[in-house]
């Protein structure tokens, strides 16, 4: 089949009834649920872009294996042109969502492509696992499906490993084998967009200890598999807020969910790893499933930071405060952050790692540097929006106030910005900023940037240790050897 349209994506959602729980009740039809309708439309637009002549050649290609047109996320990059083709896709999807939707279909499809191209790692443990992941990749590619993932254990007692938790199946683990497949029980978090996806893939960050064998698992199943419960967090908008009052929150909220598996059957052909602590701990470093998608997350993060920066610049200009040195300083800092990430992405694409298979991965040092910097730069951009907007962020009336002729004069006079900025224009800008820096929606965006890839503190420590292992830091020896030379001269 190859690339789907938005309508085909929506028909796919309509054809299933996953067990979704939202605010204490069961959702019967996800497409009829007002909270999910706008995010579904935003994802459908991305599918439609694949058929739009403006984008088609930039974000899709003809698959060499099937002759069908497929998304660039399924391209195994072997040349710089391939990397550029993937970047063009990431950029197009991120621009369409201002970088605010983190788990658009390209993200996990890149993870899957990386698992596919590095399946030889799994072969060493069980050739069937490798065959399963290859078949699954082809299935997702050829049907253009949308995945969610949950790779973290629920936050119960982080000081204990999975097998030491109060209940053996608090964390998702294998209960027993059957001729049809594995029965799994327990929970995983935090599956972003789960209610509006087609499939879920489960794997884990490294960190398994001996005794954790039953939790060392990787598999994928349809999102409506019996026994799989999707427990949504409280929504941050009710799906009815106006575009005028919440230009971003009304469009781009990504639901997050805990997945609870009540004795779910995972067919054997969907099991990619099982009962093997060593393989589970090596899955990340050996299959590129951090490095390849970090290209996507880097591009998306750049667009999001750039967007927040543009809003800050326009906000400051609208009320004439960018004549002040302190404001110029804050805005200059944000622009330099954007430029730093942009430069790091270019370096990552230039200084690639080449695998024996010929696959290329953008350089891990610049990518990890982005991963370390963005969790600081994005919250800072939010802070600058708050500082520049100040009390103005709390004086915005609603679209209904603007619509009432009785208030029209006041709206124009007291809400106008500097000369040339009308009341409506200024309020719309401040509402855009408030969605990013004040609303619960904006706080989630910030929390996402801090944590979506794992704990930034531990990630930076891992980065340091790996970097130290690979380098010798010999400029220090060179500098110190000059002292020896001086001694030699003195002695002569
Ligand atoms: C908005 C959002 C969306 C997300 N979407 C997804 C998704 O789609 N799929 C998915 O799988 N995951 C998703 N995640 C989850 C994300 O992977 C985790 O949040 C991240 O890995 C951090 O884990 P945690 O939240 O459990 O924090 P914890 O690991 O519980 O950490 C809590 C605090 O304790 C400290 N801490 C905990 N353990 C240690 C330790 N061993 N050593 C030192 N300090 C420690 C941390 O530094 C942190 O300050 C999402 C997260 C967010 C916020
Ligand atoms: O670190 C990145 O930016 C890439 C990334 C993020 C989250 C994941 O779950 C993952 O497998 C890879």
């Amino acid at each position: 089949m190859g690339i789907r349209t938005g309508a085909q994506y929506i028909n796919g959602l309509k054809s299933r009834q996953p067990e979704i729980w939202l605010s204490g009740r069961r959702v019967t039809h996800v497409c009829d649920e007002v909270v999910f309708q706008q995010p579904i439309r935003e994802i459908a637009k991305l599918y439609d872009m694949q058929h739009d002549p403006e984008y088609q050649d930039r974000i899709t290609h003809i698959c060499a294996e099937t002759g069908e047109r497929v998304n660039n996320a399924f391209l195994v990059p072997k040349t710089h042109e391939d990397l550029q083709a993937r970047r063009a896709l990431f950029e197009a999807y991120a621009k369409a969502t201002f970088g605010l939707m983190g788990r658009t279909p390209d993200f996990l499809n890149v993870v899957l492509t990386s698992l596919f191209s590095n399946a030889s790692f799994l072969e060493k443990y069980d050739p069937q696992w490798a065959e399963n992941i290859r078949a699954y990749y082809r299935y997702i590619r050829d049907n253009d499906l949308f995945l969610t993932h949950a790779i973290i254990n629920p936050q119960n007692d982080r000081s204990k490993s999975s097998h030491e938790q109060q209940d053996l199946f608090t964390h998702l683990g294998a209960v027993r084998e059957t001729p049809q497949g594995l029965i799994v029980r327990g929970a995983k978090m935090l599956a972003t967009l789960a209610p509006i996806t087609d499939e879920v893939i489960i794997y884990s960050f490294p960190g398994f200890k001996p005794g954790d064998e039953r939790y060392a698992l990787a598999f994928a199943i349809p999102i409506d598999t019996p026994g799989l419960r999707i427990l949504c967090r409280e929504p941050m908008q009710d799906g009815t807020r106006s575009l005028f009052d919440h230009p971003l929150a009304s469009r781009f909220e990504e639901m997050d969910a805990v997945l609870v598996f009540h004795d779910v059957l995972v067919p054997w052909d969907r099991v990619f790893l099982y009962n093997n602590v060593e393989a589970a701990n090596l899955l990340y470093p050996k299959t590129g499933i951090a490095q390849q998608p970090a290209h996507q997350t880097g591009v998306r993060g750049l667009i999001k930071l750039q967007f927040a920066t543009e809003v800050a610049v326009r906000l400051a200009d609208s009320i004439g405060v960018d004549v002040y040195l302190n404001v110029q300083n804050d805005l200059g800092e944000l622009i330099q952050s954007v430029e730093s990430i942009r430069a790091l992405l270019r370096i990552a694409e230039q200084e690639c790692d080449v695998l024996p298979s010929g696959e290329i991965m953008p350089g891990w040092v610049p990518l990890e540097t982005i991963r370390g910097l963005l969790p600081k730069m994005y919250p800072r951009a939010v802070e600058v929006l708050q500082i520049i907007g100040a009390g103005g962020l709390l004086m915005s009336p609603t679209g209904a106030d603007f619509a009432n002729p009785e208030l029209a004069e006041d709206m124009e006079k007291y809400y106008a910005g500097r000369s040339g900025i009308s009341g409506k224009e200024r309020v719309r800008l401040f509402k855009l900023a408030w969605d990013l820096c004040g609303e619960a929606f904006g706080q989630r965006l910030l929390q996402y940037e801090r944590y979506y890839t794992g704990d930034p503190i531990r990630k930076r420590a891992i980065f340091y240790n790996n970097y130290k292992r690979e380098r010798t830091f010999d400029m220090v020896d060179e500098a110190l050897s000059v002292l020896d030379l001086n001694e030699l001269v003195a002695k002569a």
Side-chain angles (χ1 to χ4, degrees):
M1 185 179 94
I3 50 169
R4 286 194 295 179
T5 60
Q8 284 171 318
Y9 157 65
I10 291 172
N11 283 340
L13 293 182
K14 284 183 180 161
S15 72
R16 290 184 297 270
Q17 273 190 292
E19 190 185 332
I20 303 166
W21 289 86
L22 178 75
S23 305
R25 63 187 172 80
R26 174 105 190 242
V27 171
T28 41
H29 296 290
V30 73
C31 294
D32 296 338
E33 192 64 46
V34 73
V35 165
F36 298 125
Q37 281 174 343
Q38 191 54 35
I40 289 173
R41 272 184 222 123
E42 297 299 337
I43 297 292
K45 274 187 212 163
L46 304 181
Y47 278 102
D48 278 337
M49 281 167 73
Q50 303 186 111
H51 298 268
D52 182 339
E54 191 188 335
Y55 292 102
Q56 187 166 83
D57 288 342
R58 267 193 279 154
I59 67 175
T60 66
H61 65 283
I62 303 296
C63 174
E65 211 172 70
T66 63
E68 283 178 328
R69 189 171 281 283
V70 300
N71 190 277
N72 284 354
F74 298 110
L75 191 65
V76 178
K78 301 241 163 140
T79 63
H80 281 279
E81 286 70 35
D82 293 341
L83 269 193
Q84 290 311 313
R86 295 234 295 204
R87 175 199 249 266
L89 164 73
F90 304 153
E91 222 165 62
Y93 278 10
K95 281 188 175 158
T97 50
F98 305 102
L100 305 181
M101 293 184 96
R103 301 304 196 199
T104 47
D106 49 333
F107 170 74
L108 275 161
N109 290 341
V110 167
V111 170
L112 195 54
T113 303
S114 200
L115 283 169
F116 163 78
S117 56
N118 294 283
S120 55
F121 162 75
L122 293 170
E123 217 150 56
K124 284 183 289 186
Y125 296 97
D126 187 336
Q128 191 58 50
W129 295 347
E131 202 173 298
N132 292 348
I133 197 73
R134 289 187 186 117
Y136 186 64
Y137 157 82
R138 291 189 174 101
Y139 170 71
I140 298 299
R141 178 193 67 192
D142 299 341
N143 291 284
D144 201 13
L145 296 180
F146 181 18
L147 272 67
T148 187
H149 78 326
I151 61 176
I152 303 294
N153 293 314
Q155 210 179 33
N156 307 107
D157 185 345
R158 285 281 185 255
S159 69
K160 294 190 165 65
S161 59
S162 291
H163 73 278
E164 293 166 338
Q165 299 292 318
Q166 273 189 353
D167 186 292
L168 205 53
F169 294 105
T170 302
H171 293 178
L172 177 69
V175 182
R176 61 179 185 278
E177 297 180 12
T178 72
Q180 290 74 37
L182 265 186
I183 303 293
V184 298
R185 187 187 303 163
K188 265 319 214 204
M189 69 185 247
L190 184 64
T192 295
L193 285 178
I196 63 170
T197 56
D198 303 306
E199 294 260 330
V200 55
I201 184 165
I202 299 291
Y203 52 92
S204 289
F205 280 144
F208 292 99
K209 307 247 165 63
D212 281 340
E213 284 71 17
R214 73 168 73 240
Y215 312 97
L217 274 174
F219 63 84
I221 49 174
I223 200 73
D224 62 340
T225 302
L228 171 55
R229 211 171 240 188
I230 302 169
L231 301 179
C232 299
R233 64 160 164 74
E234 183 183 0
M236 286 156 183
Q237 47 89 32
D238 62 8
T240 63
R241 301 166 99 186
S242 79
L243 207 58
F244 183 95
D245 288 325
H246 294 284
L248 303 173
S250 67
R251 289 181 65 190
F252 297 115
E253 183 180 352
E254 290 183 300
M255 178 52 75
D256 307 292
V258 169
L259 302 183
V260 180
F261 295 74
H262 286 284
D263 285 21
V264 171
L265 171 71
V266 180
W268 285 118
D269 65 351
R270 290 296 194 90
V271 173
F272 312 135
L273 193 159
Y274 159 54
N275 195 25
N276 192 316
V277 162
E278 180 191 289
N281 282 337
L282 289 175
L283 192 72
Y284 252 82
K286 296 290 185 192
T287 60
I289 58 172
Q291 200 166 335
Q292 289 291 24
H295 190 202
Q296 188 269 358
T297 59
V299 173
R300 184 208 49 79
L302 170 65
I303 305 282
K304 182 169 167 180
L305 186 65
Q306 198 173 347
F307 178 56
T309 301
E310 288 190 16
V311 175
V313 168
R314 291 285 292 276
L315 199 69
D317 172 72
S318 75
I319 51 169
V321 294
D322 67 347
V323 296
Y324 300 116
L325 189 65
N326 51 319
V327 176
Q328 290 167 359
N329 206 46
D330 284 348
L331 292 173
E333 179 192 332
L334 295 196
I335 292 168
Q336 285 174 352
S337 294
V338 169
E339 290 303 315
S340 306
I341 300 296
R342 206 165 68 78
L344 282 163
L345 271 170
R346 288 276 179 258
I347 296 173
E349 287 162 0
Q350 289 306 312
E351 298 177 6
C352 296
D353 296 334
V354 184
L355 306 188
S357 64
E359 178 181 352
I360 55 176
M361 300 201 186
W364 80 268
V365 170
L367 285 183
E368 276 306 307
T369 305
I370 293 173
R371 298 295 314 113
L373 290 176
L374 268 178
K376 292 181 173 191
M377 288 171 169
Y378 187 74
R380 173 71 182 134
V382 167
E383 187 185 37
V384 169
L385 282 169
Q386 291 166 343
I387 289 169
I388 293 176
L393 290 165
L394 284 311
M395 65 180 263
S396 298
T398 64
D401 295 302
F402 275 94
N404 190 330
E406 216 176 307
L407 298 175
E409 215 180 299
D410 284 353
M411 291 291 127
E412 206 31 70
K413 182 170 174 190
Y414 299 112
Y415 292 91
R418 63 152 171 80
S419 158
I421 304 284
S422 72
K424 198 178 218 172
E425 219 177 320
R426 186 190 149 285
V427 168
R428 288 187 70 199
L429 260 177
F430 272 70
K431 282 178 175 290
L432 198 64
W434 183 246
D435 271 1
L436 288 179
C437 75
E439 276 287 309
F441 167 80
Q443 296 310 309
R444 180 198 172 272
L445 290 180
L446 190 152
Q447 195 72 343
Y448 183 87
E449 230 44 63
R450 274 205 186 113
Y451 285 113
Y452 74 84
T453 191
D455 172 15
I457 308 280
R458 277 172 282 164
K459 283 214 78 167
R460 198 174 295 110
I462 293 168
F463 171 76
Y464 167 70
N465 287 315
N466 286 338
Y467 193 92
K468 188 180 172 196
R469 209 170 296 128
E470 283 182 6
R471 320 262 154 155
T472 47
F473 302 92
D474 19 304
M475 273 205 291
V476 177
D477 301 322
E478 247 174 69
L480 291 177
S481 71
V482 174
L483 287 181
D484 299 341
L485 269 181
N486 286 342
E487 278 169 23
L488 279 178
V489 171
K491 276 185 196 156

